[in-house]
Amino acid sequence: QFYSEMRGGGMLPFMDPKVYGRSLMECSSFIASSAFLDPSVVGRGFLARLSGSTAEFLSIWRLMFIGPNPYVMNDDGDVEMQLIPALPMWLFEDKETAGGEGKRDEDGNLVVSYKLFASIMVTYHNTLGTDLFEVEPTSYIVTMTDGSTVEVEGSKIPTETAVKIRKLLGVETI
C-alpha cells in the first residue's frame, strides 16, 4: 500500500504537476518576496537545507535502499554489514531507459543503483524479477579502488570489509 500511495502522488516526484500547481522541479520551501534586498533573487524559490519533510524523505529512502540496520554485531561481537532493501519491482523497470524496460546486467537481470555514503556505487541485481521486500542478498562483490574484488557468499559482509566500507577505505562498488 505504501508504494501504491507513493506512486499515486503521495510523494512529490510522482505528483501530477497540474495538481501540484507548478513544475515538480519547483519544489521550493519558500520564495523570496519583493521585500528582499537583492532584486535578482526576488521570486526565486529556495529549499530549506533540512526541513522535517526532507529528513522524513531521507529516512524513507534509507529504509528503501539500505534497510533498517546496515551494520549488525555477529555472535563474536564483531561488526558486519547487511543491505536489505525494500524495493518494488517498478523501481527496476525504468520506463525512461533501455527501451522502456529498465537497465539490465550482463545476465539479463534488472538492476538499480545508488551511491552509499555519497561515494560507493551500490547496484542491486534483481535475480528474482520480483519486488524485493525483506529479501536478503545471497552474495556481494565488493570492488576496491585498486581493482581487486572481495566476493562474499551469504547475506552479510564480514568485519574487515564492512569496516572498510563504513570508513570509505578504498571501496569503489558493491
Side-chain angles (χ1 to χ4, degrees):
Q1 181 182 355
F2 170 78
Y3 290 104
S4 176
E5 292 289 328
M6 179 176 133
R7 195 172 189 190
M11 282 193 173
L12 183 65
F14 304 103
M15 286 185 112
D16 180 348
K18 293 176 186 162
V19 173
Y20 189 58
R22 59 185 181 267
S23 165
L24 300 181
M25 302 308 283
E26 298 177 34
C27 58
S28 301
S29 295
F30 57 91
I31 297 174
S33 76
S34 59
F36 198 78
L37 297 177
D38 183 350
S40 68
V41 177
V42 173
R44 185 172 170 202
F46 292 87
L47 188 61
R49 287 190 173 190
L50 192 58
S51 66
S53 62
T54 304
E56 183 178 17
F57 185 81
L58 289 172
S59 178
I60 291 168
W61 182 93
R62 182 184 63 82
L63 287 170
M64 288 173 60
F65 282 88
I66 297 172
N69 300 304
Y71 289 94
V72 296
M73 301 297 278
N74 64 21
D75 292 338
D76 297 327
D78 296 321
V79 68
E80 294 180 325
M81 184 177 191
Q82 61 178 0
L83 299 172
I84 304 177
L87 299 172
M89 183 63 181
W90 59 263
L91 281 178
F92 289 88
E93 297 171 326
D94 182 358
K95 302 299 182 191
E96 303 296 320
T97 63
E101 58 180 63
K103 295 179 183 176
R104 293 185 180 269
D105 64 16
E106 58 279 354
D107 296 323
N109 300 307
L110 288 166
V111 298
V112 66
S113 299
Y114 67 94
K115 282 205 172 176
L116 180 66
F117 307 134
S119 64
I120 300 171
M121 184 61 71
V122 176
T123 301
Y124 291 123
H125 301 257
N126 191 339
T127 59
L128 301 174
T130 64
D131 295 332
L132 296 183
F133 300 145
E134 299 179 7
V135 176
E136 295 182 357
T138 57
S139 64
Y140 298 90
I141 299 174
V142 182
T143 305
M144 310 307 285
T145 55
D146 67 4
S148 65
T149 59
V150 177
E151 295 189 25
V152 177
E153 290 300 320
S155 65
K156 294 185 176 117
I157 297 172
T159 303
E160 183 181 345
T161 306
V163 170
K164 286 179 181 178
I165 292 168
R166 182 64 190 101
K167 292 184 176 184
L168 303 174
L169 297 175
V171 180
E172 188 171 332
T173 67
I174 300 174

